[in-house]
Amino acid sequence: MIRVLLVEDDDTIAQGLRYALEQEGYCLTAAATAAEGLRALREQPPFGLLLLDLGLPDGSGFEVCRAARRAGDVPVIFLTARDDELNTVMGLDMGADDYVTKPFRIRELQSRIRAVLRRRAGATATVLPGGVRVDLKKAEVTRGGEPVALSALEYRLLLVFLAHPGQVLSRSQLLGGVFDEGGSFVNDNTLTVYIKRLRAKLETPDGPALIATVRGLGYRLEV
Ligand code: CA
């Protein structure tokens, strides 16, 4: 049974999640403050998944994430408020596995949880439309069995997309996930160029679109 630590100060959300996740066979420990969450990490380990609200009365879900990551590698999904976009970008940057924006449907969170756990369980390759295959262990990409040479930055950009399949990512979310070789943020124009290059390398001219432009919102990896 997978033990889940939920740190969430909104009692309605916490109760709804407890019911839904226990129905699915998870064993849930709930904490309402960052301090309680940190205590649960110390006193009741190990957890197989953390669900962390970012806005907590005594701090942020980031603190709990940081503490958990110091103690070991555990999947983390952030529960963020709509106005937390900047925080979300930081969260992805910190290595959160995924996030959901409130208000979310429990079904949506459940499918994210399953996806994160499946990925973590050693899914080492992802197959995308157009015969594109990404081997995450070897950091190798092939199209129709032929190797595709991606630069480090193109590969990192692809990984950001792969962490959120089928989900629209804003330019700022993508920018938050990729750094250039010198470790500085990639600028907006460069992002456009890299998306163009990724498309040119991964899509066939008459094949399906792999990275869709969602006008006014951002980009989406088709799955
Ligand atoms: Ca909150």
Side-chain angles (χ1 to χ4, degrees):
M1 194 190 301
I2 294 170
R3 297 186 62 231
V4 178
L5 174 62
L6 168 70
V7 185
E8 168 62 77
D9 62 315
D10 183 324
D11 202 39
T12 311
I13 295 180
Q15 282 183 28
L17 284 181
R18 174 180 291 284
Y19 178 78
L21 295 179
E22 286 180 350
Q23 289 275 306
E24 286 223 332
Y26 298 101
C27 170
L28 193 86
T29 301
T33 62
E36 273 180 41
L38 292 169
R39 192 178 327 126
L41 282 176
R42 268 197 317 273
E43 294 175 1
Q44 302 168 56
F47 291 99
L49 174 71
L50 307 186
L51 301 177
L52 305 177
D53 180 24
L54 285 185
L56 295 166
D58 57 339
S60 146
F62 288 136
E63 296 164 41
V64 183
C65 179
R66 236 173 266 132
R69 284 278 157 82
R70 272 199 299 273
D73 190 27
V74 57
V76 174
I77 298 178
F78 283 126
L79 315 176
T80 73
R82 201 168 278 287
D83 52 5
D84 273 344
E85 195 187 14
L86 182 67
N87 287 335
T88 307
V89 172
M90 276 176 64
L92 292 178
D93 190 34
M94 277 185 61
D97 292 82
D98 209 344
Y99 65 91
V100 290
T101 307
K102 296 176 188 177
F104 54 85
R105 284 175 313 178
I106 288 195
R107 273 168 177 278
E108 184 194 350
L109 178 62
Q110 284 169 328
S111 80
R112 296 288 178 80
I113 290 174
R114 281 193 293 269
V116 163
L117 294 177
R118 208 168 39 232
R119 252 188 344 254
R120 287 291 191 127
T124 56
T126 304
V127 178
L128 297 169
V132 173
R133 187 175 181 281
V134 185
D135 186 321
L136 299 166
K137 281 236 163 93
K138 295 188 201 154
E140 274 174 10
V141 181
T142 55
R143 192 181 75 186
E146 295 294 315
V148 178
L150 296 184
S151 73
L153 207 146
E154 288 160 356
Y155 185 68
R156 276 202 291 275
L157 183 59
L158 181 61
L159 289 184
V160 177
F161 276 115
L162 282 174
H164 307 276
Q167 191 183 327
V168 179
L169 293 173
S170 68
R171 294 180 64 87
S172 63
Q173 283 171 323
L174 289 167
L175 287 167
V178 279
F179 297 86
D180 68 17
E181 272 60 29
S184 51
F185 278 107
V186 168
N187 76 37
D188 209 49
N189 293 333
T190 319
L191 179 67
T192 308
V193 171
Y194 277 102
I195 286 181
K196 214 177 262 179
R197 285 194 198 156
L198 256 189
R199 281 175 167 154
K201 289 184 178 183
L202 298 179
E203 294 175 358
T204 35
D206 47 357
L210 197 59
I211 298 168
T213 303
V214 184
R215 194 180 287 243
L217 292 176
Y219 301 90
R220 182 181 63 223
L221 179 72
E222 303 292 9
V223 286

